[in-house]
Amino acid sequence: MKNTIYACLAALLIFCGCSSKSDNINSLVEYIPFQSCEDGRWGLISTDGEVLFADEFSERITMAINGRFFAQNDDDLWEIYTTDEKPQQVGSDVYKEIAPFTEDVTPAVKPGGHVILIDRDGEEVKVLDVIDGKKVKGVSRFCQGIAVFKNEDDAYGAINTSGEVVIPAEYCNISLPTEGKVLALEKKYEEELNNDDDTFDKAVVKVFDTSGSLIGEIPMKGVMNLKTDFMDGVVIVAKKYGSEKRYGLMDEKGEFVVAPSAKNHSIHSVQGEHFIFRDDDRYGLMDFEGNVVLRAKYSELTFAAEGLLCAQKEGDDVVRFIDFEGNPVGNAEFTSGYSFYGDGAYCLVRFDSNEYGFVSKDGERLKLDNNTELYDVLLYTGDDWVDSDFVDYAAYVASMNITGNSLDGISLGTSAQRAASMVGERKGETITAEDSRGDDELTYSKEHDYSNLYFTVYFDKDISAAITKTVYEDYYGYRFSREETTGYRFTDAKVDAIQIRINVLYDKLEGKLPELMKALKNKLTGLGRVIAERSDHTGIAVKTASGNVVMAFIERDSPNILYVGVGREDKVNLDNARGSMEDGDLSDDNWSDEDTVAVDSVAVDEVYADSIADY
């Protein structure tokens, strides 16, 4: 699949450009988190080397923007603080995710909540649960007054700081603005975005200003890459010429300012009428006329400031500032250069693995007051993208399509051939009898924003059998016979159990399985009579009027895994659902009322099973 748009929201790679001070979030940074010693507490130092406070926070903190920074608490949730010598917490709310205050409002989400806009005092300004009638899945940080949002249809649009739509959600890909320009790709071109070809064909990228007005279009025919941040009026474009990828520079009207050239294996960034190019893994500087200003002899080369480069020569261990003629600027040498944060007077650099500091545009090291040592720094401003943490548990359970006789529309008693066809439809493929030889189960999965569902369909016997014919052979006067396989057929096997396995580790449902169990209980108790329920409400089984058993439970040893199953009463393994004692005794006598609330003679407790089926 092609690398489509570098700042692709589908991958949550949102960048606000580094082409000018107004676009660059680094220019908004006021203070940088630092430690003065190994395992020390965190403090904040200004972008010109003034310590605001030191050794204050044991957990990590963010860079400060617009008079606010965030500190992580013991529950890995974020609190808002003021940029004072004695920082004060703003309000009492905590947030699972929060974007930096690049404006006076910012997107944030509380545990289990919708995305909201809050102001610098922590007051809720607007709930972003629904925009234009569609549920909101996530919102980016603000840049130049707008933020990108994604709705339930995986369509992207943009809002202003009041939460009003400025670009409707009609796009499969959209960028944050740079130099007042937003790039967007319409949903109708989504197939081109996701196909296996190397290039676009008919797609056209629209260019909007931050008010939502269309100001240009970029035809994408033959384009392999389009970098979404404008740098001094141009974007970097890679086009395919035969088997070659050539880079050029294009304006918002889709006109080439610098045509793709075989000399440009890659263009990395632009400043004025110069750009950094790559040739055989080395970097150099070229102007818009195609003249090589600095030949490709650097292993690292980036624009540091106006007319200033950060460079490392091939084979050299140190980085230094140079001008556009390749002359060293100042005496400072370092191992890594980061950015001219804040007002751009000083660049944060790393001198060695445990020593950071600041260097001026003249290439001179800034001496810090009181011999302050920067042992380590954190270069994190907050979340670039904030996902909704709200879960509609009833809707998630409804997506499983649980009945007293089926899951996901596949019923008990369904023939092997019909079940194979249904599973094949769900997998987007054809399942043949030959594919299924030796199998007594079929598996498939369904993607879901909360957590994917993994299905297993069990049968009462093998679902495929060989079709044979008898072949006779004469050998020295004797006739021998053997069976020769000529094909395969589906047997008369029937579905007798169906299972869903859900692993929520690292998914949206992580830590939320108890709430999901409540929704499952509500569903299951409407299907039949409860025959067992754990005292801690992590497992339940019901018996339907038709004699089937429907059950749901969380694994004891793996609390991030949940099972849902339906099966014939004689095929569902309730012993597995019940679990085993240390001595291996599975008898009901070993379960006390403290462990299990038993109804009839069946108890549901510790789970060590791989499945709910009795195999």
Side-chain angles (χ1 to χ4, degrees):
M1 186 178 297
K2 57 181 169 289
N3 294 320
T4 52
I5 296 180
Y6 292 175
C8 174
L9 288 184
L12 303 185
L13 298 177
I14 308 169
F15 297 101
C16 199
C18 55
S19 55
S20 69
K21 181 176 178 179
S22 63
D23 295 333
N24 188 358
I25 190 172
N26 293 341
S27 68
L28 303 177
V29 172
E30 298 163 344
Y31 295 95
I32 299 169
F34 78 98
Q35 284 177 314
S36 56
C37 63
E38 186 177 7
D39 299 324
R41 289 175 171 264
W42 293 95
L44 285 179
I45 188 169
S46 72
T47 57
D48 57 1
E50 297 291 330
V51 174
L52 181 65
F53 60 82
D55 304 316
E56 183 72 24
F57 290 87
S58 59
E59 301 297 330
R60 66 176 181 150
I61 61 178
T62 68
M63 291 174 153
I65 291 177
N66 202 3
R68 297 291 183 266
F69 69 96
F70 313 133
Q72 207 167 34
N73 65 20
D74 291 338
D75 296 320
D76 292 333
L77 298 174
W78 294 103
E79 302 167 347
I80 305 174
Y81 283 85
T82 61
T83 52
D84 297 318
E85 292 183 7
K86 294 184 177 180
Q88 302 297 312
Q89 185 174 352
V90 177
S92 58
D93 290 325
V94 294
Y95 303 92
K96 185 172 183 179
E97 295 178 353
I98 184 169
F101 278 101
T102 52
E103 302 285 346
D104 286 338
V105 296
T106 196
V109 64
K110 298 176 185 178
H114 297 288
V115 178
I116 57 177
L117 293 183
I118 60 171
D119 62 21
R120 294 173 66 253
D121 295 324
E123 297 294 327
E124 184 178 298
V125 174
K126 189 166 186 175
V127 180
L128 298 176
D129 54 343
V130 174
I131 295 178
D132 288 344
K134 299 288 187 179
K135 295 177 184 177
V136 174
K137 295 172 73 171
V139 182
S140 77
R141 64 175 173 86
F142 279 98
C143 181
Q144 298 181 38
I146 68 171
V148 173
F149 70 92
K150 178 182 179 182
N151 69 18
E152 61 185 286
D153 296 331
D154 290 336
Y156 294 90
I159 57 173
N160 60 23
T161 54
S162 298
E164 300 165 336
V165 174
V166 293
I167 300 176
E170 299 172 351
Y171 302 91
C172 63
N173 206 303
I174 193 169
S175 72
L176 282 175
T178 51
E179 298 183 353
K181 303 177 185 73
V182 178
L183 300 180
L185 185 66
E186 290 178 276
K187 285 284 281 182
K188 66 182 179 181
Y189 298 123
E190 190 164 20
E191 187 174 340
E192 283 193 44
L193 184 70
N194 297 319
N195 66 25
D196 294 327
D197 194 7
D198 290 334
T199 60
F200 288 94
D201 182 21
K202 298 178 181 178
V204 175
V205 170
K206 292 187 174 182
V207 185
F208 296 96
D209 63 20
T210 54
S211 69
S213 297
L214 184 67
I215 59 175
E217 293 184 339
I218 299 177
M220 297 290 286
K221 186 174 181 62
V223 171
M224 300 176 72
N225 299 106
L226 173 68
K227 192 168 183 179
T228 59
D229 48 337
F230 277 87
M231 292 171 281
D232 290 334
V234 296
V235 289
I236 299 170
V237 176
K239 295 197 74 172
K240 189 174 184 179
Y241 291 84
S243 60
E244 274 191 334
K245 182 192 290 187
R246 299 180 184 178
Y247 283 79
L249 301 174
M250 185 178 284
D251 64 20
E252 74 273 12
K253 302 296 184 182
E255 301 292 332
F256 276 108
V257 177
V258 175
S261 167
K263 294 189 296 184
N264 300 328
H265 295 269
S266 180
I267 296 178
H268 284 259
S269 55
V270 180
Q271 185 186 101
E273 294 191 354
H274 293 82
F275 59 87
I276 293 171
F277 71 97
R278 189 189 73 200
D279 185 10
D280 293 333
D281 295 326
R282 290 172 297 175
Y283 298 89
L285 186 67
M286 189 179 294
D287 65 24
F288 280 13
E289 301 300 320
N291 301 308
V292 175
V293 179
L294 293 174
R295 65 182 181 87
K297 62 180 179 180
Y298 300 94
S299 57
E300 296 290 341
L301 189 66
T302 58
F303 291 114
E306 193 71 29
L308 191 66
L309 294 159
C310 194
Q312 182 179 37
K313 285 185 178 180
E314 188 76 22
D316 205 344
D317 293 331
V318 298
V319 180
R320 57 175 56 86
F321 290 148
I322 63 172
D323 61 24
F324 281 13
E325 295 180 354
N327 301 313
V329 176
N331 298 313
E333 295 182 344
F334 38 93
T335 59
S336 298
Y338 296 100
S339 179
F340 280 90
Y341 291 103
D343 62 8
Y346 297 96
C347 181
L348 177 70
V349 304
R350 183 172 67 183
F351 293 107
D352 62 36
S353 58
N354 301 126
E355 184 183 5
Y356 294 79
F358 296 93
V359 174
S360 71
K361 292 179 182 178
D362 296 329
E364 300 300 330
R365 181 170 181 172
L366 175 66
K367 184 177 181 181
L368 302 180
D369 290 341
N370 302 318
N371 296 317
T372 300
E373 293 186 9
L374 304 184
Y375 180 87
D376 199 3
V377 295
L378 287 175
L379 307 181
Y380 179 61
T381 58
D383 292 300
D384 283 333
W385 183 265
V386 174
D387 278 311
S388 171
D389 199 44
F390 175 78
V391 173
D392 187 337
Y393 295 99
Y396 186 59
V397 171
S399 73
M400 304 176 194
N401 197 5
I402 306 170
T403 75
N405 189 53
S406 66
L407 286 180
D408 196 36
I410 301 178
S411 301
L412 301 178
T414 300
S415 69
Q417 184 168 1
R418 174 59 181 150
S421 175
M422 296 175 75
V423 171
E425 289 173 4
R426 287 154 174 76
K427 297 177 74 171
E429 61 185 50
T430 299
I431 298 176
T432 66
E434 184 174 2
D435 296 331
S436 307
R437 58 188 185 275
D439 292 337
D440 60 1
E441 63 184 56
L442 294 171
T443 62
Y444 67 97
S445 63
K446 290 177 65 176
E447 291 186 356
H448 197 285
D449 289 332
Y450 297 163
S451 192
N452 293 343
L453 306 169
Y454 297 89
F455 291 82
T456 304
V457 182
Y458 297 95
F459 297 84
D460 54 7
K461 60 182 177 181
D462 283 357
I463 63 178
S464 176
I467 300 172
T468 63
K469 68 176 182 179
T470 303
V471 177
Y472 296 95
E473 296 178 348
D474 294 324
Y475 188 71
Y476 290 105
Y478 293 94
R479 170 159 283 198
F480 297 91
S481 66
R482 61 180 175 83
E483 295 301 307
E484 182 179 281
T485 299
T486 60
Y488 292 86
R489 61 175 176 83
F490 286 107
T491 68
D492 61 355
K494 306 289 186 186
V495 175
D496 63 2
I498 312 162
Q499 167 193 291
I500 303 173
R501 184 178 187 270
I502 304 168
N503 187 342
V504 301
L505 187 64
Y506 307 124
D507 284 344
K508 192 170 185 176
L509 284 173
E510 186 174 8
K512 300 184 177 76
L513 283 188
E515 292 298 318
L516 178 57
M517 276 301 307
K518 290 180 183 178
L520 283 165
K521 179 180 177 180
N522 289 338
K523 176 64 179 179
L524 267 59
T525 52
L527 298 176
R529 178 173 58 91
V530 176
I531 58 175
E533 183 177 6
R534 291 180 186 164
S535 58
D536 61 2
H537 308 294
T538 58
I540 186 171
V542 302
K543 187 174 181 179
T544 69
S546 59
N548 299 324
V549 172
V550 188
M551 58 194 303
F553 53 84
I554 300 172
E555 276 201 17
R556 292 292 196 192
D557 272 6
S558 301
N560 288 307
I561 296 176
L562 180 145
Y563 288 97
V564 179
V566 58
R568 296 206 325 259
E569 184 178 13
D570 61 334
K571 287 297 181 181
V572 174
N573 191 341
L574 289 173
D575 277 349
N576 281 341
R578 184 185 298 129
S580 59
M581 302 295 285
E582 290 183 357
D583 60 3
D585 193 341
L586 294 173
S587 68
D588 292 329
D589 295 338
N590 282 308
W591 299 104
S592 69
D593 291 339
E594 293 179 355
D595 293 323
T596 304
V597 178
V599 184
D600 291 347
S601 60
V602 180
V604 179
D605 213 284
E606 293 199 44
V607 180
Y608 294 93
D610 288 330
S611 71
I612 61 98
D614 190 9
Y615 293 107

